């Protein structure tokens, strides 16, 4: 069993930056893939980025080039650095751990305004 707790969300102006953090209750070495998803009002939850245990990363086209997912295994923490934020980035962001079970955090709100 793994618990995930997100932090770092908030209100930011367009063009600004945020770093989201996801702290796991135990080592993330045993989790195959750690990722960030987001869900805007009235829309499906969508993948933002993920990172595998080997360090491979995948980004959604909408955030590619301005976001970076990383992990600090010693701290059992995964990060999502988001730069050049846009109003369409507004959503609840969820941390996810996959393999063999699926774990979700409680979500953290990101609101981007003009």
């Amino acid at each position: 069993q793994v618990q995930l707790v997100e932090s770092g969300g908030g209100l930011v102006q367009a063009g600004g930056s945020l770093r989201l953090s996801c702290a796991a209750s135990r080592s993330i070495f045993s989790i195959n893939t750690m990722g960030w998803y987001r869900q805007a009002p009235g829309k499906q939850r969508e993948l933002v980025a993920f990172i595998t245990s080997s360090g491979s990363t995948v980004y959604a086209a909408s955030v590619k080039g301005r976001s970076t997912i990383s992990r600090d295994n010693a701290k059992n923490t995964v990060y999502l650095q988001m730069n050049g934020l846009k109003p369409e980035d507004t959503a609840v962001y969820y941390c996810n751990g996959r393999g063999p079970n699926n774990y979700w955090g409680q979500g953290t709100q990101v609101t981007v305004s003009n």
Side-chain angles (χ1 to χ4, degrees), residues 7-113:
S7 62
L11 176 64
V12 64
Q13 291 187 331
S17 298
L18 285 173
R19 188 177 74 160
L20 307 183
S21 298
C22 171
S25 60
R26 66 168 178 83
S27 175
I28 60 176
F29 282 111
S30 62
I31 302 176
N32 299 146
T33 303
M34 298 294 299
W36 287 93
Y37 291 73
R38 67 186 182 187
Q39 187 166 21
K43 306 198 73 174
Q44 295 288 319
R45 187 172 299 185
E46 65 177 358
L47 174 71
V48 179
F50 70 78
I51 183 167
T52 69
S53 58
S54 63
S56 297
T57 57
V58 171
Y59 297 91
S62 57
V63 304
K64 192 178 300 180
R66 59 188 183 93
S67 297
T68 303
I69 187 170
S70 61
R71 64 184 180 188
D72 186 335
N73 291 330
K75 295 181 178 180
N76 298 331
T77 302
V78 177
Y79 303 96
L80 181 68
Q81 177 69 43
M82 303 184 70
N83 304 315
L85 286 163
K86 306 174 181 179
E88 53 262 44
D89 293 320
T90 295
V92 178
Y93 284 70
Y94 298 91
C95 183
N96 169 256
R98 187 172 183 268
N101 298 122
N102 203 34
Y103 305 100
W104 292 95
Q106 82 288 347
T108 185
Q109 177 71 48
V110 172
T111 302
V112 184
S113 68

